[in-house]
């Protein structure tokens, strides 16, 4: 989980009032692992820092980003081995981008959570 700080009072202005967590799931599959079910009609490629990442809505309402190019295979394809699920497609794509920029970061993640 990534801790975030919420700033502001009722109007959104002011001092920090507390922290909340945003759940982000990072997955690295091996042969035979089941891929999360996505709604194929919701696929949108998202650009992050000049790189395109395919994203789609999961059955539970979160979004998932995978692979690293727009001609990527579907998430259900066995060659797709790394993906990130988050509350928004942009957070999923951004997190995946950061991990692609620093692959060693995968090794620092406890139990697949950030």
């Amino acid at each position: 989980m990534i801790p975030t700080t919420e700033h502001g009072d009722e109007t959104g202005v002011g001092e920090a009032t507390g922290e909340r967590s945003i759940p982000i799931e990072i997955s690295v599959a091996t042969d035979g692992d089941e891929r999360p079910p996505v709604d194929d009609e919701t696929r949108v490629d998202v650009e992050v820092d000049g790189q395109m990442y395919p994203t789609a809505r999961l059955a539970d309402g979160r979004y998932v980003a995978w692979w690293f190019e727009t001609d990527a295979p579907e998430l259900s394809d066995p060659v797709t081995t790394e993906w990130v699920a988050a509350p928004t497609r942009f957070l999923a794509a951004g997190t995946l981008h950061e991990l692609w920029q620093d692959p060693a970061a995968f090794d620092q993640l406890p139990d697949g959570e950030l």
Side-chain angles (χ1 to χ4, degrees), residues 67-105:
W67 209 251
F68 51 89
E69 52 193 41
T70 55
D71 60 347
E74 296 300 317
L75 181 61
S76 59
D77 192 304
V79 300
T80 302
T81 59
E82 298 168 355
W83 62 88
V84 173
T88 71
R89 67 176 74 241
F90 304 102
L91 186 54
T95 302
L96 186 60
H97 175 75
E98 292 296 322
L99 291 171
W100 276 105
Q101 295 301 307
D102 182 12

Side-chain angles (χ1 to χ4, degrees), residues 50-67:
Q51 294 282 326
M52 297 297 287
Y53 297 90
T55 66
R57 188 175 53 232
L58 293 170
D60 65 7
R62 296 178 301 156
Y63 289 86
V64 64
W66 69 96
W67 209 251

Side-chain angles (χ1 to χ4, degrees), residues 11-88:
T11 63
V13 179
E15 305 268 337
T17 58
E19 292 185 0
R20 64 184 177 104
S21 295
I22 299 173
I24 297 176
E25 178 184 323
I26 298 167
S27 301
V28 178
T30 58
D31 289 338
D33 283 352
E34 193 172 319
R35 296 340 190 233
V38 298
D39 180 352
D40 293 331
E41 301 294 317
T42 65
R43 179 171 169 171
V44 173
D45 295 334
V46 174
E47 180 182 358
V48 178
D49 202 21
Q51 294 282 326
M52 297 297 287
Y53 297 90
T55 66
R57 188 175 53 232
L58 293 170
D60 65 7
R62 296 178 301 156
Y63 289 86
V64 64
W66 69 96
W67 209 251
F68 51 89
E69 52 193 41
T70 55
D71 60 347
E74 296 300 317
L75 181 61
S76 59
D77 192 304
V79 300
T80 302
T81 59
E82 298 168 355
W83 62 88
V84 173
T88 71

